[in-house]
Amino acid sequence: MKVHFHGTAAFEGIPSLFCHCETCKQAKVLGGKNIRTRTSVLIDEVLKIDFPADTLHHSIRDSVDMDKVRDLLFTHSHSDHLYPEDLLIRALGYAQFNEEEELHLYGHDLPIKHCSQLLATERHRFQFHNLKPFETVQTQTATITPLLANHDSKETCLLYYIEKDGKKIFYGHDSGWFPEQTWTWLKGKKLDLAILECTTGNAPHCEVHMNVEDTLKTREWLVENHVMQAEGRIVVTHFSHNAHLLHEDLVHIFEPNGITVAFDGMQLDI
Ligand SMILES: [Zn+2]
Ligand SMILES: [Zn+2]
Ligand SMILES: [Zn+2]
């Protein structure tokens, strides 16, 4: 299975629009893995998680054929994860297809409401699926179970457990320390890949995102509870410039703990 990290930054990107902090200045000078766009992951070219405004940039940068994507999963409606206006580019009169197939969209109430309102006249090109936490669904490309995140009290934010071609992935952000129901659900699972966040770096613990300590504690929990397969990998992503950690700093923190630091364009074979 191929897991392609399209973007690895939190909301503001790195270097961030309008920002003159030292991290943004250094990222501009150093370039390479220090340049981060808003988060999204593509699995086997057909299953995509989240749809930020940087998707056009991702498709050009990495030569991605977005029309191969059959299933699009939304974690929540924050604009670094969902920019529904760009789905209109797939509408009649904007995109030309060889074979017209529906793109299936999956998420909780708010993202699906935004998309179905915006794409109301394009129902022949999209199908909408309203998910409920902990209810497993068979999509066109995988079996998915939405889990509860701890991220925004104004909406139900989801994490995903994805089973595809015998592999099992946990997509674990955006979230602070997970709700008890999610920890309980994960017990007894065997993951090939866990994708975690570390938005806030060395900042003190906060409720809605993870800092370094929370990410390391999550890894510890996954390992101690034997939730990771022997060859299973843990990857960390979704970094804010306000964490003031360059790629090299993150590698220094996480790699000795067996965690891979994602960068834009990174591809894993699992
Ligand atoms: Zn985010
Ligand atoms: Zn900055
Ligand atoms: Zn968010």
Side-chain angles (χ1 to χ4, degrees), residues 30-256:
L30 294 168
K33 293 176 183 174
N34 292 292
I35 306 295
R36 297 184 187 274
T37 58
R38 273 67 66 88
T39 46
S40 174
V41 160
L42 178 63
I43 298 171
D44 287 340
E45 301 182 62
V46 292
L47 172 63
K48 185 168 160 62
I49 306 159
D50 285 337
F51 189 78
D54 294 324
T55 303
L56 173 63
H57 169 71
H58 299 153
S59 75
I60 295 168
R61 184 197 63 202
D62 293 348
S63 298
V64 178
D65 182 357
M66 276 297 297
D67 199 41
K68 279 191 185 163
V69 175
R70 304 264 50 88
D71 294 321
L72 183 50
L73 316 186
F74 302 126
T75 55
H76 60 303
S77 71
H78 292 173
S79 65
D80 55 325
H81 297 261
L82 175 59
Y83 185 70
E85 285 79 0
D86 272 1
L87 284 169
L88 269 176
I89 299 174
R90 202 176 186 274
L92 194 66
Y94 295 109
Q96 269 106 59
F97 298 99
N98 294 329
E99 264 176 73
E100 194 165 326
E101 288 187 79
E102 289 168 323
L103 176 60
H104 287 233
L105 311 180
Y106 304 81
H108 198 260
D109 292 354
L110 210 53
I112 293 301
K113 193 173 113 192
H114 288 332
C115 291
S116 58
Q117 282 173 351
L118 204 84
L119 304 165
T121 58
E122 301 300 324
R123 299 225 168 236
H124 55 296
R125 287 197 167 177
F126 296 93
Q127 264 202 38
F128 306 93
H129 302 267
N130 220 314
L131 302 177
K132 297 212 167 22
F134 306 105
E135 285 188 13
T136 302
V137 168
Q138 180 67 50
T139 74
Q140 298 180 99
T141 60
T143 306
I144 60 164
T145 308
L147 310 178
L148 270 181
N150 176 15
H151 186 51
D152 184 342
S153 56
K154 293 189 287 301
E155 72 173 291
T156 302
C157 300
L158 301 177
L159 313 171
Y160 286 99
Y161 176 76
I162 300 165
E163 297 168 89
K164 184 175 186 299
D165 302 334
K167 301 283 183 185
K168 296 171 178 70
I169 296 175
F170 171 55
Y171 194 83
H173 74 91
D174 290 2
S175 183
W177 193 248
F178 305 135
E180 208 44 54
Q181 288 159 281
T182 294
W183 290 115
T184 305
W185 195 92
L186 282 170
K187 270 195 181 160
K189 300 293 179 297
K190 288 280 176 213
L191 298 173
D192 297 285
L193 175 65
I195 300 172
L196 307 176
E197 68 150 276
C198 182
T199 306
T200 60
N202 289 313
H205 171 81
C206 85
E207 273 305 302
V208 297
H209 279 299
M210 291 204 182
N211 63 7
V212 169
E213 205 185 327
D214 294 327
T215 311
L216 293 178
K217 270 166 63 185
T218 304
R219 177 203 167 263
E220 213 174 286
W221 187 94
L222 292 171
V223 172
E224 276 175 6
N225 286 279
H226 309 289
V227 173
M228 298 308 301
Q229 296 274 22
E231 301 294 306
R233 299 198 51 181
I234 301 178
V235 174
V236 63
T237 184
H238 197 276
F239 305 106
S240 167
H241 65 122
N242 284 322
H244 302 304
L245 296 168
L246 292 166
H247 183 77
E248 204 178 301
D249 303 322
L250 291 161
V251 168
H252 187 71
I253 293 167
F254 286 112
E255 298 229 327

